[in-house]
Amino acid sequence: ETGVTQSPTHLIKTRGQQVTLRCSSQSGHNTVSWYQQALGQGPQFIFQYYREEENGRGNFPPRFSGLQFPNYSSELNVNALELDDSALYLCASTPGGRGGKESYEQYFGPGTRLTVT
Amino acid sequence: GQSLEQPSEVTAVEGAIVQINCTYQTSGFYGLSWYQQHDGGAPTFLSYNALDGLEETGRFSSFLSRSDSYGYLLLQELQMKDSASYFCAVENNAGNMLTFGGGTRLMVKP
């Protein structure tokens, strides 16, 4: 069973640029969530995709957007990068379903460390 | 909205027992989860409580009191490898968003 993978591992961008981060979910998982984790803080929910549709969004501006593909892999796109976007971006997948252990037991990828200069 | 509070740091010695508390405020509640994250690593799932009481998984146990909006993670027989950050998390009432606490950094000393 393949776990959650993310690419790239590290990325350095300049303020104002755009970035695309990628995530492959664990085999059999149809739900992918994206989180932003600033240094020393807990992960903050960005949005979730369930069967290729956005299924919930946290308190992030529209310049954070995403996609989920038929194979349930996902992308996070961030436009007009700001210095505060520097963080670890985590992708997590679950088997799906609402409430209960299936939605709680999220399987996280290793993350992409984004630095905006 | 959802908010969770947990201590920022806890220090304990190898072999000891440590309890990490979490209080939460939420408009809807399905259950409380705990995640462990080593420096530079990904969060990994530890436990989940939907009902009041204690859940035990090896050296780790987790407790929930829904009436008090309170839970804790209990780590027994501490090992050096348990040094990590521990996060409590609750799911929103739509079942599509996990809200994490700020994390508790546990340092295990010899």
Side-chain angles (χ1 to χ4, degrees):
Chain A
E1 187 177 77
T2 307
V4 178
T5 60
Q6 293 186 243
S7 62
T9 306
H10 295 87
L11 201 54
I12 299 175
K13 289 286 189 177
T14 303
R15 191 171 52 185
Q17 287 187 315
Q18 179 266 341
V19 69
T20 298
L21 310 181
R22 294 179 175 82
C23 168
S24 291
S25 60
Q26 183 153 323
S27 176
H29 289 188
N30 58 19
T31 303
V32 172
S33 299
W34 284 91
Y35 295 85
Q36 180 194 67
Q37 186 176 26
L39 202 60
Q41 297 183 23
Q44 299 296 309
F45 176 79
I46 303 174
F47 45 57
Q48 182 186 86
Y49 278 83
Y50 172 65
R51 294 184 176 178
E52 303 178 57
E53 297 286 332
E54 188 178 288
N55 185 45
R57 188 179 184 90
N59 190 27
F60 280 80
R63 59 189 186 84
F64 285 79
S65 63
L67 281 174
Q68 188 180 30
F69 301 99
N71 66 355
Y72 302 133
S73 65
S74 178
E75 286 183 355
L76 164 65
N77 299 290
V78 187
N79 293 322
L81 283 167
E82 301 177 359
L83 296 179
D84 285 348
D85 296 334
S86 295
L88 180 68
Y89 287 85
L90 294 161
C91 159
S93 71
T94 62
R98 299 290 182 89
K101 187 173 185 290
E102 280 195 340
S103 61
Y104 268 81
E105 189 168 356
Q106 301 211 359
Y107 295 76
F108 283 84
T112 294
R113 173 72 62 187
L114 173 65
T115 302
V116 182
T117 62
Chain B
Q2 321 260 93
S3 68
L4 298 94
E5 289 190 14
Q6 50 183 130
S8 58
E9 279 191 11
V10 172
T11 301
V13 297
E14 208 171 4
I17 299 173
V18 71
Q19 179 173 312
I20 299 173
N21 299 320
C22 174
T23 57
Y24 59 87
Q25 288 186 317
T26 176
S27 53
F29 180 82
Y30 283 160
L32 184 72
S33 287
W34 290 90
Y35 286 79
Q36 178 193 59
Q37 186 178 31
H38 287 98
D39 284 348
T44 57
F45 175 83
L46 290 178
S47 70
Y48 170 79
N49 295 70
L51 302 175
D52 288 356
L54 192 67
E55 293 280 343
E56 298 181 68
T57 309
R59 294 189 297 115
F60 294 0
S61 303
S62 57
F63 171 83
L64 175 66
S65 169
R66 295 170 67 115
S67 60
D68 295 323
S69 298
Y70 163 76
Y72 66 72
L73 179 70
L74 191 73
L75 297 86
Q76 303 182 73
E77 301 172 16
L78 281 173
Q79 301 176 9
M80 297 298 291
K81 67 179 182 179
D82 297 330
S83 293
S85 292
Y86 292 84
F87 298 91
C88 56
V90 296
E91 188 175 32
N92 68 341
N93 53 3
N96 61 358
M97 181 173 87
L98 206 58
T99 299
F100 283 80
T104 298
R105 190 171 182 85
L106 170 64
M107 288 183 285
V108 180
K109 296 186 173 180

